[in-house]
Amino acid sequence: MELRQLQYFVKVARKQHVTQAAEELHVAQSAVSRQIHQLEEELGLQLFVQKGRNLQLTPVGKLFLGRVEELLTGLEKAVGEIKEFLDPELGEICLGFPHSLGISLVPSVVADFRRDHPNVKFRLKMGTFSSLIRDVIRGDVDMAFISPYPENNDQVVGEVVLTEELYAILPSSHVLADYSSIRLEQLKYDSFVLFSENYSLRTIVWEACRKAGFTPIIGFEGEETDTIRGLVAAGMGVSLLPEMALTQISPLMPVKVKVTEPHVTRTIGLIRKSGHKLPIVAEMFQQFLFDYFRLR
């Protein structure tokens, strides 16, 4: 069984068509058909069945595909690790982060790191609190920014790199828009624009309102910082957002007001898989991040 056979098999399985697979592989159709035929003979089973003009995997073909993809992924990772060992500057870093950090923080730290390491590549993946932890545990990302920092999860390790203040955001027409600071309870009769339930910022805002003695009235829900900010600016309600999410200027901007009671903050952590050694280039980036935040 040859590596080429497995690569051709995966390509045909994904395209469900020998001709299209051959075009992407830049080889003759006959070469692809021959390799698939030899693979089936060696295995002693049929991997594909013809259905119209397309090929479909047999049940055992589907099983084989999953195993082959795992094998090829592992091989690709091994080759990457060897190249990185020989020259970490040619490595790739897989970084996860929540949407609210993608506005300015992640672009800033990546740009700063690449000034001294211009050949390092980045693969970025945005996610929610739970999906970022899952991505780290499964190895889909080397490390992830996350908020709040998960204190009681023994499957990930890391540290808090930043504590950030949350501000009330109000429409410019709001009666409190000219105030320099407010108590959160002053917004208890307002409609709130909140993140959806799977976002950690929603939990932080909800808990802050509870401490202020009320349950927020939910008018709108969204999944992106820009949406929350825009809805508030358009007069659809009020909300709380971290300062970092308010740095970008857009046509629709709400008014930012400091909240004094309670003082609302969120922790931002950098996590990696517990007991897992990072690739060399990822270790370099992790240390860069720790130094970056300590200096700031």
Side-chain angles (χ1 to χ4, degrees), residues 43-57:
L43 292 171
L45 50 84
Q46 190 175 7
L47 297 171
F48 295 98
V49 292
Q50 191 79 37
K51 189 168 184 180
R53 296 183 177 180
N54 294 333
L55 290 177
Q56 285 193 350
L57 288 166

Side-chain angles (χ1 to χ4, degrees), residues 33-85:
S33 298
R34 183 170 59 253
Q35 293 292 342
I36 296 298
H37 179 68
Q38 291 175 354
L39 180 60
E40 289 181 324
E41 281 196 336
E42 186 171 347
L43 292 171
L45 50 84
Q46 190 175 7
L47 297 171
F48 295 98
V49 292
Q50 191 79 37
K51 189 168 184 180
R53 296 183 177 180
N54 294 333
L55 290 177
Q56 285 193 350
L57 288 166
T58 61
V60 70
K62 292 179 181 178
L63 175 64
F64 189 59
L65 175 64
R67 298 301 187 188
V68 171
E69 286 181 325
E70 290 177 5
L71 176 66
L72 294 180
T73 298
L75 179 61
E76 183 181 350
K77 185 176 181 181
V79 172
E81 288 174 348
I82 291 172
K83 289 181 178 178
E84 184 186 313
F85 179 80

Side-chain angles (χ1 to χ4, degrees), residues 36 43 51 91 121 130 148 157 169 178 187 203 205 210 214 220 222 225 231-232 245 263 267 271 276 284 292:
I36 296 298
L43 292 171
K51 189 168 184 180
K121 296 179 181 178
S130 57
V157 295
I169 57 170
D178 293 331
L187 300 178
T203 303
V205 174
R210 189 193 65 80
F214 70 96
F220 293 90
T225 303
L231 286 171
V232 171
H263 183 223
T267 55
I271 60 171
H276 175 71
M284 290 166 49
Y292 179 95

